[in-house]
Amino acid sequence: AQKITQTQPGMFVQEKEAVTLDCTYDTSDPSYGLFWYKQPSSGEMIFLIYQGSYDQQNATEGRYSLNFQKARKSANLVISASQLGDSAMYFCAMRGDTGGFKTIFGAGTRLFVKA
Amino acid sequence: EAQVTQNPRYLITVTGKKLTVTCSQNMNHEYMSWYRQDPGLGLRQIYYSMNVEVTDKGDVPEGYKVSRKEKRNFPLILESPSPNQTSLYFCASSPRTGSTGELFFGEGSRLTVL
């Protein structure tokens, strides 16, 4: 069965510092995608970054990077130079190429950025 | 503007009164899905559709129905709502049906069943 685990319910980070949000996953699919989404207090869900299971390089999108360690089944999100606007809920998600292309989500990590 | 539109955004109803949450996307996406978000559980998939007339159950389909008669619309139907269906619901679409497709979400519909 597919599973996403986010072990940090809440985290604090000082403005301008980097922060890593942890995500581990489990799947039997040979090919899959890993995603991170941001949910600000306003409630909408925003796509941040994608990593394919066969990608050799870690994905980056501006201040976001995904630290992908396939052997350890981890897909941690790194936010560099945190900003106050980064305070939000962050969800790790996975989508496989089999099993109907279902997307499963972790429970989320709430990030608080301190001024 | 490319978007996924859900209605209603907020709804309070009573047990047993049928309701429909509409979802429409203007991006010509083939893949659409519904999720519910509950505290501590993240988002859980209710139903998804890979194309017109093709729907399948997600992880928590009990008590819900969907239909996909047109590519752009994917309504969620609660035939007889119960209090345990009180939740925040999201509709989403994706440009690709495979594992590479990111999800574009609607703004969410907060449903309370009394």
Side-chain angles (χ1 to χ4, degrees), chain A residues 10-74:
Chain A
M11 288 192 69
F12 286 88
V13 65
Q14 196 67 38
E15 193 178 13
K16 299 181 185 177
E17 292 186 350
V19 63
T20 297
L21 306 184
D22 294 340
C23 172
T24 58
Y25 63 91
D26 194 16
T27 182
S28 55
D29 279 339
S31 176
Y32 50 89
L34 296 156
F35 306 82
W36 278 91
Y37 293 89
K38 173 184 179 181
Q39 186 179 41
S41 57
S42 50
E44 73 267 31
M45 294 285 290
I46 303 166
F47 164 70
L48 294 178
I49 194 167
Y50 159 80
Q51 176 84 42
S53 59
Y54 288 111
D55 292 343
Q56 296 295 314
Q57 302 215 348
N58 287 340
T60 60
E61 288 286 349
R63 294 186 299 110
Y64 304 109
S65 61
L66 200 153
N67 184 0
F68 179 48
Q69 298 187 48
K70 193 172 183 177
R72 298 180 64 181
K73 294 190 175 181
S74 74

Side-chain angles (χ1 to χ4, degrees), chain B residues 48-75:
Chain B
Y48 63 95
S49 169
M50 298 219 284
N51 213 328
V52 175
E53 303 292 359
V54 180
T55 64
D56 209 345
K57 297 177 181 178
D59 293 318
V60 288
E62 295 79 19
Y64 306 94
K65 284 187 177 180
V66 293
S67 67
R68 187 97 180 269
K69 295 188 182 346
E70 304 167 284
K71 196 172 187 178
R72 63 183 294 129
N73 295 325
F74 191 44

Side-chain angles (χ1 to χ4, degrees), chain A residues 31-35 37 39 42-47 50 89 91 95-97 99-108, chain B residues 9 31 35 37 40-45 48 50 57-59 88 90 94 96-103 105-107:
Chain A
S31 176
Y32 50 89
L34 296 156
F35 306 82
Y37 293 89
Q39 186 179 41
S42 50
E44 73 267 31
M45 294 285 290
I46 303 166
F47 164 70
Y50 159 80
M89 194 75 162
F91 292 99
R95 189 163 166 191
D97 267 341
F101 309 114
K102 290 192 294 186
T103 302
I104 60 167
F105 288 78
Chain B
R9 295 285 316 282
Y31 186 96
Y35 299 85
Q37 182 181 4
L41 297 177
L43 280 77
R44 293 178 292 168
Q45 193 166 33
Y48 63 95
M50 298 219 284
K57 297 177 181 178
D59 293 318
L88 177 60
F90 284 100
S94 181
R96 290 171 290 280
T97 54
S99 63
T100 63
E102 74 273 27
L103 292 167
F105 285 87
E107 293 179 295

